[in-house]
Structure formats: C-alpha cells, structure tokens
Amino acid sequence: MNVMQLAARKVSRRLVRDFGEVENLQVSRKGPGDFVTAADVRTDEKLRDALQQARPNFGFLTEEGKDIVGQDETRRWIIDPIDGTMNFMHGTPVFSISIALEEAGEVTAGLVYAPVSDEMFWAEKGQGAYLNDRRLRVATRRHMGDTVIGTGMPHMGSPDTTGYLAELGAVMAECGGIRCLGAASLDLAYVAAGRFDGFWDTGLAPWDIAAGLLLAREAGATVSRTDGGGNPLYAGDVLVANEAIHSRMLRLIRHSRRAE
Ligand code: 2AM
Ligand code: CA
C-alpha cells in the first residue's frame, strides 16, 4: 500500500498541472466516446516506472499499455492512469488514478486517488477500507426512497442503451436521487464512503473497477454482477450497495429487463 500510494502521489503532481492546462493537451481518439490524452499515456508510463522500481518482478494490466507478464507470474498491478478521462478533458475535476494489486487472481490491495480533491481511498483485503486515515463503512439506509444511487450512463457506441434506460427508469422511480460521476472507480469509492447508497454500471474494464470493488467490499458492501452473479471484475457489469439496497436494486434491474 505504501508503494502504491507513493506512486499515485508522485504522478499526481504533474497530472494536476496538466489538468490546469487541459486546453493545450494533445488529444487523440480511441474509439467511440473514448479519448486518450497525452497526460494519460505519460501518467501510465510514470506509474509503471514507479511501481516497477519498487517491485521489479510484478506484471501489469493497464488501460494504456499492453499486458506485461512479470517474472512473478502470480502478481500484477491493474492500473487506470486516469479514470474519468472525459471529465478530465472537459475540465471537470472528477477523475482518479486507480491502482490495484492482483495476487493469484485475487485483488488484495487497491487505491483510488482523486488528486484535485486530494482524497486517497484505499483498502487491503481483510483490513478494511479507508479515506485518508478514516475507516469507511457503507451507508446503512434501508429504504430506497432515502438513497442516492450512482450509475454509469452508456456512451456513444454502447450496445444496449434501451436496456439501460429501462433499468434507469426502474431505479429512478424508487430512489431519492441518481448521480453519475463519470468515473467508475470513484463511484465505487463513494459507495464505500457511504456517499452513494448504491451503484450499478455495465461495460466496464477491469482497470476501471479492480481497486473500487475491493474498497466497496472492505467497507461492507454486497458486490455482484447486475444479474446477481459472482465476481464482476472481468465481466465488467457491477451492482454494489449495502445488503438491503442491493437486494432491492437487483429485483428492480431484473424486472426492468423482463418488462422490456
Ligand atoms: P475512462 O474514463 O478511463 O475511459 C464512465 O462512466 C466510466 O466508464 C469511466 O470509468 C470510464 O473510464 C469508463 N469507460 C470505459 N469505456 C468508456 C468509453 N468508451 N467512453 C466513456 N467511458 C468509458
Ligand atoms: Ca477507466
């Protein structure tokens, strides 16, 4: 965790400066709705350098680079140098650096660092989740009407917008409010922190959610796929909330699909 936090803080100084000059950044398109900034690539490289120096044998799975198998084939870093790239490009200060450590196929440590607000969300398996020095717990609200629910909206080129709108309609009709941060890692961190009572999204990549899922679990959330099934990490669809809200949201999402 120390190694991970040092790496995140080290690269964040330049990243925040880049964010201040976002108009001057060279941007390139990376498929529909997805953009890569020069800062993204540079941050990825610098993060890998810092982590590799500290743990030379570990591999990598990162959004910007290719997969690298380490000498130690059982350990790898799962990295998103900027989660919330759209926000970053549009001058909205809601983005994060996400770093997770996967050991023998299981994520054992994760951090989500929002450099503009200087919020370091972190968790180690079995040790709880934290925001800076403060222990995190999921919110205890049990009634949908009291909840604020986070979600990720489909972007250009997403395959099933109609299905999503049915889910959104169903959840919207019962919850207190819907929020969309535009950075899945932070949505999950917000559930861990009790700021959101739940979150669901589909079509996510492992680097978007590896650290955030551990944060949510360690804060006491129920974590599943949106059909209620097992580990969302490589499936990319996720439903996270306290047990009561998770169960209600699962039913709402299932019903909306059947009604479609
Ligand atoms: P990114 O910012 O690293 O691309 C937005 O709801 C979430 O979905 C973010 O975590 C974002 O990660 C992720 N995402 C993945 N693919 C995307 C795409 N093609 N367009 C926008 N967001 C995408
Ligand atoms: Ca991402």
Side-chain angles (χ1 to χ4, degrees):
M1 183 48 61
N2 208 20
V3 163
M4 294 160 74
Q5 292 198 5
L6 279 173
R9 287 191 193 279
K10 187 173 173 192
V11 303
S12 72
R13 283 190 285 274
R14 173 69 186 268
L15 191 59
V16 170
R17 246 186 297 143
D18 288 341
F19 178 68
E21 293 170 27
V22 80
E23 307 88 44
N24 305 326
L25 285 175
Q26 265 205 326
V27 293
S28 63
R29 235 183 141 111
K30 185 180 83 166
D34 202 355
F35 299 86
V36 181
T37 63
D40 220 346
V41 175
R42 186 171 44 237
T43 306
D44 185 70
E45 284 169 4
K46 283 167 56 181
L47 268 179
R48 273 190 283 134
D49 283 350
L51 294 168
Q52 199 154 32
Q53 257 181 27
R55 296 289 183 272
N57 296 336
F58 292 11
F60 289 92
L61 174 65
T62 89
E63 177 160 31
E64 304 310 329
K66 52 181 180 359
D67 304 359
I68 298 164
V69 179
Q71 263 179 330
D72 180 347
E73 291 178 13
T74 67
R75 292 191 176 84
R76 67 175 175 178
W77 304 107
I78 304 179
I79 295 176
D80 196 347
I82 307 177
D83 188 40
T85 319
M86 277 280 206
N87 286 342
F88 186 92
M89 283 187 52
H90 286 248
T92 296
V94 181
F95 58 89
S96 84
I97 296 164
S98 175
I99 307 175
L101 175 63
E102 187 185 58
E103 299 185 274
E106 190 180 10
V107 174
T108 55
L111 74 76
V112 175
Y113 181 52
V116 175
S117 55
D118 190 25
E119 289 185 310
M120 177 71 77
F121 299 91
W122 59 280
E124 286 178 281
K125 188 169 180 281
Q127 307 293 314
Y130 297 81
L131 166 52
N132 300 325
D133 298 331
R134 188 165 59 84
R135 180 88 187 249
L136 298 179
R137 292 294 304 169
V138 285
T140 53
R141 293 182 193 86
R142 301 185 58 80
H143 301 292
M144 279 299 288
D146 299 330
T147 60
V148 168
I149 304 293
T151 187
M153 306 257 177
H155 39 77
M156 188 170 52
S158 293
D160 185 23
T161 307
T162 313
Y164 174 77
L165 287 175
E167 294 171 10
L168 181 63
V171 176
M172 196 180 270
E174 281 204 6
C175 74
I178 302 264
R179 298 291 181 273
C180 183
L181 293 183
S185 61
L186 282 170
D187 286 309
L188 290 164
Y190 275 32
V191 173
R195 295 175 181 177
F196 289 173
D197 300 284
F199 169 71
W200 91 105
D201 197 358
T202 57
L204 296 165
W207 42 80
D208 298 325
I209 55 178
L213 290 173
L214 182 67
L215 276 160
R217 261 191 212 107
E218 287 295 323
T222 302
V223 173
S224 75
R225 299 186 55 184
T226 51
D227 64 1
N231 191 346
L233 181 57
Y234 292 101
D237 72 289
V238 48
L239 172 58
V240 172
N242 75 38
E243 202 177 354
I245 299 300
H246 182 277
S247 138
R248 184 60 196 151
M249 284 183 71
L250 184 57
R251 222 168 309 151
L252 286 170
I253 287 171
R254 273 192 185 143
H255 261 105
S256 75
R257 286 194 185 155
R258 235 172 281 144
E260 211 188 294

